[in-house]
Structures are given as structure tokens and as C-alpha cells.
Amino acid sequence: MADARKRLDAGPSRSASAQPLVGAAVRHDSAAKHVAGEALYIDDVAGPEGLAHACLGLAAIAHGALVSLDLEPVRTAPGVLCVLSASDIPGVNDISSTHRHDEPVFATDAILHHGQPLFAVVAETRDQARRAALLARAAYREKPPVLDVAAARAAGGALVTDPLKLERGDVGAAMAGAPRRLSGSMAIGGQDHFYLEGQIALAIPGEDEDMLVLSSTQHPTEAQHMVAAVLGVGAHAVTVEVRRMGGGFGGKETQSNLFAVVAALAARRLGRPVKLRPDRDDDMAITGKRHDFVCDYEIGFDGDGRILAVDTVFAARCGWNADLSGPVTDRALFHADNCYFYPAVRAVSQPLLTNTVSNTAFRGFGGPQGMVGAERIIEEVAFATGLDPLEVRRRNLYRGEGRDLTPYHQPVEDMIAGEVMSALERSCDYRARRQAIRAFNADSPVIRRGLALTPVKFGISFTATWFNQAGALVHVYSDGTVMLNHGGTEMGQGLNVKVAQVVSDAFGIGLDQVKITATTTGKVPNTSATAASSGSDLNGMAALDACETIKARLVAFAARHWQEAPGAIAFLPGHVRVGGREIAFSALVRAAYMARIQLSATGFYATPKIHWDRKTGRGHPFYYFAYGAAAAEVAIDTLTGEYKVERVDILHDCGTSLNPAIDIGQIEGGFVQGMGWLTTEELVWDDKGVLKTHAPSTYKIPVASDRPRIFNVALLENAPNREPTIHRSKAVGEPPLMLAISVLHALSDAVASVGGHRICPRLDAPATPERVLDAVERVRAEVGAGAGQ
């Protein structure tokens, strides 16, 4: 026994961490594999024996009825194994994520958007399947499509789901009593997710109706349930696995269900593995986008730029079914205040039915569109009063009691937007630069510069309260290594390495001792979507809960074994302290195993404090808020409308960052994606409802040369989350995208300079060069007209 104890006391385990890992700037666990092309995605997995390939047959009209569908030419095409339509579904022909059951796998009668799936063909090769899918002979009874918000309103305003109204105060009286009033409307464009890895699923049938589906999905459990329902089996017969995605951004929360279901249906029919990977054109034609909105607003305010009343309607092009349009349009209203207190406010959503793809989740989930509307309101008041927009922002911020209640009646208890804005204003030298830009513009007849500083307040939690839960599974093996599995999915955002850091820190071991494993419904059931910026919050806490369970067992064992008080036992970086001893974690684990101590545990976490009553429009839907601010400087060519983003400074609130390197990467990437949404990414449908921007050749995402020439990003220091989140950190996935609103307003500032900042440019998004040029000419014309009166 003495010899054994000497060995146990021999020192720290191999690769043990000498420093705490939480808060360290650790690189992404797959970074090297990403760069080297060695990270395995579903299409990289070696094809199982007998692998077949599926392709979807799509509707050629946007609105009407399917009169007939002749699939015989498809069945007889070379290499074809089978053709599947609605009549071949053993379960339900529905993959709706809501109770409305309005999303069939395959259309049977009504055609509601161009590119709606009619059938699937399965062949020996992908090329054979794609060629065969084009041979179907379909006849339609076509109707005029309803394609945008204006057309939907003109057609009677059919809705895909119930609207929401948020209201606080007497809006009518406040508006009537306001010294000044104005109204307007703003168009806010949509956005394609343009994930680098497209939609894909690989289904492998097993015995007893079992089905394994490798799916590029953010929501494995929903994919599991959809596959089970379509196959007519229980969820226990379907396992969905996700090692990683090549991007998701919300586009693989519900939209991936179609591809998982069709692959599984074909695999069941043939009794062999089936892969479904659409090409980029089909992917973009089939899948939903960020919702585009029209925001109508009326504002009451005073001469000092203080807003007294706001009345807004957010009308969204939702597409052909509900999908997630209800919660997306709800969240637009939740963020229609951004950082600003409105003494009296009414906000109403209009989730409109259109004959376009069913719009869906996208990073920010409606929040960005709400914030864009809020910042337009600020801009309108600034131009009406002649004040610096930054001053109008500051005068209308949420503050203490009496100015702390949101339109949904949740108090803002952690308001630090003012501090963040002031710190950024100083660090980026906003005042001096603003004066210098005014001087430059006065002497520059063609190139005009603009500057704007905008804040962000973003609520963190699913508004569907039941999604605010997570599970994890942690195994400690007898050699001291650890296997980690949790319900979150990795799509490049660094979730896995953050949760691994939490586990490593809990046990005091090195990251190389923790094995990150693929997310699977077979290990952690009933997972929530990796969305709403909640991945680290939920899964980090669930993993920590599992670790604490194992640690409690080890502490109890060590206290008995070494005759020490439990309070004298601590897990430290690189070792475990047991009284006066320092013991390697691996040695303690081995001893515990020999003593028959359980070294595996599940963990669970449910977000506290949150509740939401949609019927009354009141509640506490968010656990906390994440804050940030960005200052953007642009230069525009007033002859062409072309522009460049010259400089961006960002100060962002991550609480106590779990991993500053990952968080800064998320901020940079989110900002650039948001900048693309608000500037170059334009979705265009023709009058027949055909998406014309369906490939990289016609849809312009930002490229390396579009990034700000000077790009300064800093994390807010010494600002731990006031709520007991995982190590007092804050979510960082979605909030940075909205920092790009500063670019839109910098462009607006540059445009306004051609009219001496007397006319609000009312620049809609995306602010393409064409729109910028149109705004320049409009402002010049209005100023000229005013001078002639």
C-alpha cells in the first residue's frame, strides 16, 4: 500500500495544464485541420458500401396547382434505382417545425414557390440522379405569384402565423402631445446564408428499422423527430450525428430537415446508404433566407432630440409557410428599441405569406432587422433637430428606474451601453475625426466621407422558453483522459473548444486530455438547436454539471482514502491537492477506479429567471443582454455610388471571455457578415418568382478586399456578466453582426454631406452602390428644390 501511495503522489499527469484554461486564448480545436483541408465534413466521409445518391425534382412555377406529374422518364433514366414522391412516404408528408403542419416533404397539389420539391430520384451516381431529375414532365395551372411585402399587402395581407403586438404607455396621447412628429418607411433586405458547406445528409439503414443519419444540421433532435415521423417510426429508431458543419448561421436549424428526411426515406426504400447533396444553385433556390422587412414608423419627439412616442409596424416577407417566421418577427419587435427607452411605444408584426422560399432563422433571428429600424428612428430625429446622431443616441438610452422598461415589460438591469459607447468614442477619437471629415468633405467635390457610431443591445435566450436547456455526457477513463459529448453542434464558431476548456479547467487537466466527440442524439437526447447565441451558455453549464458530479465522487473517495476533510481537497491546474499532498489527476482516477467509483456522469442545465407570455406581450424572455458598439468610417464616390469601408473600431462586451481568440474571431466574422447584408448582398426574384441571385456569380458576399482597411477590435475589460453564466461569460455568436449597422449609417452620413446634412438620406438596405448613388442624387435634388423656393 505504501508503494502504491508513492506512485499516486508521483506528480502531475502528462500534458497537465499549468495555468487555468478558461479565459485563455486557445486556438480552435480544428483550426489546423481547417487550414490543411483535413477536417472531415459529411461529403469527405468515405462512402459506405452500396452508397446511392439522391436528387430533388423541383417545381418550375412559383404559384399554382400541379395538374399532372409524369415520372416515367425519370424511372427509366440510366442508373436510376427508384423515384420517390408523396405516395411513397410511410409516415407523414410533413416537416413543419410548427403546429401548423404546412410544409410537405413533396408537393401533391398546391405549388407555393419556385423550386418546391415534387419528388426525389435515387441513382447509382450523383451525376445520374441530377440528370434524371430534369426529365420529369409536369403540368401546372399557374397563378400570379405574390412576391414581396407590397404585393402581399395589396393581396389582402395573408399571414403565415399569428402576429404579435408589444405595447407600453398611451401611444396615442404621447404622440398627440409631442412637440414634433414625423413618419416614414424603410426597406430592409434579406440575406442568403451562403454557408461554405451546403446542405447535405447521408442516411445509413440498420436492422429493426434503425436509421443513422449524418446531417449538416444545427438541430439534431429536430432532424431525428422529422425523420422518425416521415418514416413512421419512433424517435428511438433514429440517430442523428453531427461532427461539424461548414457554417450554418441559422440556415441549418430547420432547413436541413428536408435533406435528412429524403436521404432517410430513400435509404429505407432501397435498404442501402443514400446521400443527398444539392448543388449550390438548387440549395439557394430551395432554402429560406434572412427575412426582408418593411418597417413603417411614426415618431413623436421634442426639440432636444428626446423620443416621446414610437409607433411601428414590421412587415416581413416570410415565404410559403410558417417555418420560424413567428419567433423571427417576434424577435424583431423585441429589438426594435435597441438601446433606447421609448416612454410610449407600440410595435406590431406582420408575418406575410408570399410565393417565395420560406424564410427562416439567420444570425440574429430578426433582431438585426428590429435594430436597423430603431437606428433609422434615431437618424430621423437627429436630422430633424440638427443634432449629432451620437448625441441623440445618448439622450435616449435606457437608464435607471423610470427609464428601464422594455416594450415587452422586462426591466433592463445591466445597462452598460452608455459606458461602452463613451469608451469607444474616446478610443477611436470620434470627435476629432468627425470634425476632420467635415473639413475634408467641404473641399472634396467627388469623394465624400462619413462616420457613425452605433450601439448594440441584444437579448440572450430562446424566446421559446423550453429550448433553454442542455445536456452533456462526460466519461473519465481510468488513465485520466476524458471524453466529452454535449448537445451543441460545431459549425466553426468554436463551441467545442470552449466547452472543452470548461471541462479541462474543472478537472485541472490539459486540453489534450479531453476528447471532443461528435454530437449525437444517441448520447445526449432532447437537444436544443445550437442557435440564439446560447451554445456556450447552455452546453458549457451542462458539461460543468457533469464534471462537478464526477468531482464530488472523487472528493468523497479521496477523503476516505487519505483520511482528509473534503474541504481540504481541491482540483488545481496540473494536480489535485489532497491535504498536504499533490496528486496527479490520472493517479487519483486510477485509484478511484480500483475502488469501484463511477467515473461517468450526465449533466443538465436549464436557464433560470426567464418566462414569456406571448398573448399578453409581457415577460422576461431574456436572461441577460450583450452589448457592443462600433464606429465605422466610409468613403463614397458621388459620381458612381461606389464606396469603401476605410476604418472600423469595435468595443464588444463578452463578459469574462471564455476564449478571447475565439470571441474576437466571432466579432470580426459577424461584423463582416452583417456588413455584407447591409451593403452588397441583394436577393432578386423576377416577376415569375424565380430567384435570379442563386449562385456566387450573381450573389455578392464580402470578399477579403471588402474588409475595413483598418479594423480594430477590443473586448470590454473587467465587465463580468452579472448573471451566474458559465464563468460569467456572455454570448458572442449573434450580437456582433449588428455592429455593422454602423456602416449603413456611415454611408448615410456621407450621402447627407452632399446636402449639408440638412436632408435625411433615408438609405434603405442593402445600400448597394446603385442605392447610394440614387440617394446622393435624391438629396441633391431635394436641396436644390428647397433652394429654389
Side-chain angles (χ1 to χ4, degrees):
M1 180 65 73
D3 289 341
R5 287 189 177 178
K6 285 180 183 177
R7 288 195 296 273
L8 287 173
D9 298 341
S13 61
R14 65 184 187 278
S15 303
S17 174
Q19 299 293 330
L21 281 168
V22 167
V26 178
R27 73 181 185 185
H28 192 290
D29 55 287
S30 296
K33 292 192 285 286
H34 289 156
V35 173
E38 296 173 353
L40 291 179
Y41 297 89
I42 293 173
D43 209 35
D44 300 317
V45 174
E49 182 68 26
L51 177 65
H53 298 266
C55 183
L56 294 169
L58 308 177
I61 66 168
H63 189 204
L66 180 63
V67 176
S68 65
L69 181 61
D70 181 4
L71 296 175
E72 192 57 29
V74 182
R75 292 190 180 93
T76 57
V80 169
L81 299 169
C82 72
V83 178
L84 302 167
S85 61
S87 61
D88 297 298
I89 294 175
V92 296
N93 182 25
D94 180 65
I95 50 171
S96 170
S97 57
T98 72
H99 65 280
R100 292 179 177 270
H101 305 295
D102 57 357
E103 185 175 358
V105 179
F106 299 123
T108 56
D109 180 17
I111 304 298
L112 297 174
H113 80 98
H114 182 272
Q116 185 172 353
L118 305 179
F119 66 93
V121 54
V122 189
E124 293 287 358
T125 70
R126 184 168 177 267
D127 181 67
Q128 289 172 335
R130 292 178 66 198
R131 291 177 184 278
L134 301 175
L135 301 177
R137 292 194 286 258
Y140 306 97
R141 185 179 304 110
E142 196 167 358
K143 299 178 182 178
V146 175
L147 299 176
D148 57 24
V149 167
R153 283 173 160 173
L159 304 178
V160 296
T161 190
D162 297 332
L164 175 67
K165 180 170 75 172
L166 302 180
E167 191 165 11
R168 193 197 65 247
D170 189 334
V171 176
M175 196 74 73
R180 304 184 67 176
R181 295 167 62 176
L182 61 81
S183 61
S185 184
M186 181 182 189
I188 306 166
Q191 185 179 23
D192 189 86
H193 300 86
F194 217 92
Y195 23 65
L196 291 182
E197 176 203 33
Q199 299 282 358
I200 185 171
L202 169 60
I204 304 172
E207 60 185 18
D208 300 328
E209 297 188 324
D210 286 353
M211 187 66 66
L212 170 63
V213 182
L214 308 186
S215 175
S216 187
T217 177
Q218 296 171 236
H219 201 343
T221 290
E222 182 166 287
Q224 175 194 29
H225 291 167
M226 295 296 175
V227 170
V230 169
L231 296 183
V233 300
H236 66 318
V238 179
T239 300
V240 175
E241 180 178 308
V242 185
R243 174 57 185 93
R244 61 170 61 84
M245 288 168 275
F249 312 117
K252 296 176 180 177
E253 186 172 345
T254 62
Q255 299 288 294
S256 53
N257 293 334
L258 170 68
F259 306 94
V261 160
V262 172
L265 183 64
R268 165 62 58 79
R269 172 73 171 268
L270 294 174
R272 55 192 283 191
V274 175
K275 182 190 292 185
L276 172 53
R277 176 175 67 84
D279 64 20
R280 180 65 66 174
D281 299 82
D282 285 350
D283 191 320
M284 294 181 74
I286 295 168
T287 60
K289 324 296 180 193
R290 184 188 295 281
H291 292 68
D292 43 343
F293 278 76
V294 171
C295 172
D296 301 320
Y297 52 87
E298 184 178 8
I299 320 161
F301 58 101
D302 64 20
D304 293 325
R306 290 183 173 84
I307 296 170
L308 305 175
V310 171
D311 195 355
T312 60
V313 176
F314 282 83
R317 170 164 57 184
C318 295
W320 67 284
N321 68 64
D323 193 77
L324 296 173
S325 291
V328 166
T329 52
D330 287 1
R331 192 173 275 257
L333 301 192
F334 288 138
H335 291 84
D337 58 341
N338 195 8
C339 296
Y340 313 117
F341 175 75
Y342 305 146
V345 56
R346 179 167 53 234
V348 177
S349 69
Q350 285 183 354
L352 293 165
L353 174 70
T354 56
N355 297 121
T356 52
V357 290
S358 184
N359 286 331
T360 190
F362 199 133
R363 199 174 193 172
F365 205 79
Q369 296 94 315
M371 281 192 202
V372 167
E375 293 302 330
R376 165 61 71 84
I377 287 171
I378 291 291
E379 184 179 60
E380 288 273 25
V381 172
F383 276 95
T385 57
L387 294 167
D388 181 342
L390 181 58
E391 185 57 34
V392 176
R393 291 184 173 99
R394 186 170 278 116
R395 291 181 184 183
N396 288 284
L397 290 174
Y398 281 102
R399 291 192 173 86
E401 187 174 353
R403 289 185 60 87
D404 65 346
L405 203 62
T406 64
Y408 44 95
H409 297 262
Q410 174 174 338
V412 181
E413 301 168 320
D414 58 355
M415 180 64 179
I416 59 171
E419 301 166 34
V420 174
M421 291 166 65
S422 295
L424 182 63
E425 180 185 4
R426 293 190 298 271
S427 66
C428 79
D429 203 16
Y430 174 86
R431 295 294 173 187
R433 287 170 60 201
R434 184 170 176 81
Q435 291 179 0
I437 286 170
R438 291 293 177 97
F440 172 88
N441 287 341
D443 295 329
S444 180
V446 175
I447 304 301
R448 295 298 179 98
R449 295 183 180 271
L451 178 67
L453 192 158
T454 60
V456 165
K457 173 182 68 68
F458 190 77
I460 303 299
S461 290
F462 288 97
T463 51
T465 306
W466 59 89
F467 279 148
N468 294 285
Q469 59 175 300
L473 175 64
V474 174
H475 296 326
V476 177
Y477 295 104
S478 60
D479 65 349
T481 59
V482 176
M483 188 282 291
L484 165 64
N485 194 272
H486 58 80
T489 55
E490 175 63 51
M491 60 194 95
Q493 82 277 38
L495 171 62
N496 279 348
V497 72
K498 282 187 172 183
V499 180
Q501 284 176 268
V502 169
V503 172
S504 299
D505 187 81
F507 289 130
I509 59 177
L511 263 180
D512 63 334
Q513 298 294 95
V514 180
K515 180 71 172 178
I516 301 166
T517 58
T519 305
T520 169
T521 56
K523 289 183 178 178
V524 177
N526 307 319
T527 61
S528 296
T530 303
S533 301
S534 61
S536 296
D537 283 3
L538 294 175
N539 296 286
M541 289 294 273
L544 182 60
D545 182 52
C547 293
E548 293 300 328
T549 298
I550 296 170
K551 286 169 65 177
R553 295 173 190 155
L554 290 173
V555 166
F557 162 73
R560 293 194 307 271
H561 190 72
W562 280 281
Q563 299 297 303
E564 296 283 357
I569 301 169
F571 290 77
L572 303 174
H575 65 274
V576 182
R577 186 179 65 219
V578 181
R581 302 173 179 83
E582 289 188 359
I583 300 173
F585 177 75
S586 59
L588 173 59
V589 165
R590 181 65 183 175
Y593 166 74
M594 297 300 291
R596 298 184 294 175
I597 303 301
Q598 185 181 2
L599 297 173
S600 175
T602 59
F604 182 77
Y605 176 73
T607 308
K609 292 179 67 171
I610 53 175
H611 56 90
W612 167 242
D613 185 341
R614 193 175 188 274
K615 291 181 179 179
T616 63
R618 294 175 177 237
H620 195 291
F622 303 121
Y623 190 29
Y624 63 87
F625 297 98
Y627 297 90
E633 180 178 340
V634 303
I636 69 169
D637 184 329
T638 58
L639 298 180
T640 66
E642 295 174 292
Y643 50 81
K644 288 191 176 295
V645 181
E646 300 285 1
R647 175 176 169 179
V648 168
D649 296 81
I650 292 173
L651 182 59
H652 196 74
D653 164 36
C654 294
T656 301
S657 174
L658 292 173
N659 186 324
I662 294 293
D663 287 349
I664 288 174
Q666 284 291 288
I667 293 165
E668 292 171 342
F671 178 89
V672 171
Q673 188 174 53
M675 185 178 75
W677 165 51
L678 294 171
T679 57
T680 64
E681 297 185 44
E682 186 174 25
L683 293 164
V684 178
W685 280 266
D686 68 14
D687 59 3
K688 292 289 189 179
V690 179
L691 179 68
K692 308 305 289 186
T693 49
H694 54 76
S697 58
T698 53
Y699 185 78
K700 188 183 186 314
I701 66 170
V703 296
S705 59
D706 293 320
R707 70 180 296 279
R709 295 185 179 187
I710 300 172
F711 200 3
N712 301 317
V713 178
L715 303 183
L716 185 66
E717 297 181 349
N718 303 314
N721 196 336
R722 61 178 285 162
E723 299 294 346
T725 53
I726 186 70
H727 294 283
R728 300 284 176 171
S729 63
K730 283 190 175 183
V732 72
E734 293 171 301
L737 183 133
M738 286 146 276
L739 296 169
I741 296 172
S742 61
V743 173
L744 180 65
H745 285 270
L747 290 170
S748 181
D749 185 54
V751 170
S753 72
V754 304
H757 289 91
R758 287 171 288 171
I759 305 294
C760 181
R762 291 190 168 183
L763 189 59
D764 288 342
T768 59
E770 294 86 351
R771 281 206 176 99
V772 170
L773 180 60
D774 179 68
V776 167
E777 294 176 347
R778 189 175 65 251
V779 168
R780 279 181 172 153
E782 289 187 36
V783 170
Q789 292 178 353

